[in-house]
Amino acid sequence: IGCKSTDCIMDFGCGCGIIPMLFARDFSDAKIYALDIQDEAIELVGRAIKENELKNRVTPLLCDLKQIDKSLFGKFDLVTMNPPYKRVGSGLMTDNEGLNIARFELKCNFDDIVKSAKKLLKTGGMTVIEVALEAGFDDPAYFCRVFKKQTGITAGEYLKKK
C-alpha cells in the first residue's frame, strides 16, 4: 500500500478490527478510524484498542457508512474495506443477523462504499476501484496487480504523486 506513516486512514466495515490493528502496527504515526454499523464489532475494536494501548491512534466509529459525519469529509489519505459481501440471494444466509450483515449487501452495497469513500478522500478524485472499473477491469485487485507490473508503482502511489 502506498501509505505514509503520518496518513489518516479509514477502514469501513472493520469487524473485529484486524485491518486497523495492522495499519497501527505498520504506520507508527497514522491516525486510524475503524467504522462499523454493528455494536458487537465496535466492542471488539474497542477491546483491541485497549489491549494494544492505541487509544490515541485508533478511533472506533459506530455508524452507517452512508451517514458519516460531514466533518470527516476530505480528511483521509486512504479508505479501505475488505468486504466479503455477496448480493442478497446469492448464497445461504444464517440465523445470525450479524453474520448476514457482514457477508451480504444488507446494509450497504458496492456503490454506497465507493460514494462514501470518495467523500472522505482528500483528493476528491476517483477511487482506485472506480479507475479499475472505468478501465474495463471487473476485478479491481487484478487491475492493481497489472498497474504495478506495468508502471513499477502501486495505483495508490501514482495517485499521491498527482
Side-chain angles (χ1 to χ4, degrees), residues 8-75:
C8 193
I9 302 168
M10 169 69 79
D11 184 47
F12 287 157
C14 64
C16 67
I18 187 63
I19 302 297
M21 294 302 116
L22 292 172
F23 281 134
R25 179 196 71 192
D26 294 344
F27 303 104
S28 59
D29 295 320
K31 180 64 181 155
I32 303 156
Y33 291 77
L35 181 144
D36 207 292
I37 197 168
Q38 297 192 69
D39 291 316
E40 298 83 8
I42 294 301
E43 287 173 20
L44 288 172
V45 172
R47 269 193 274 163
I49 291 168
K50 185 176 181 181
E51 289 173 16
N52 291 285
E53 299 176 359
L54 294 170
K55 184 179 179 186
N56 295 326
R57 296 196 39 230
V58 181
T59 303
L61 295 174
L62 175 64
C63 78
D64 184 329
L65 63 81
K66 297 175 294 206
Q67 298 173 345
I68 296 172
D69 189 293
K70 289 181 181 178
S71 69
L72 297 175
F73 288 10
K75 180 176 183 169

Side-chain angles (χ1 to χ4, degrees), residues 7 62 93:
D7 281 352
L62 175 64
M93 290 195 174

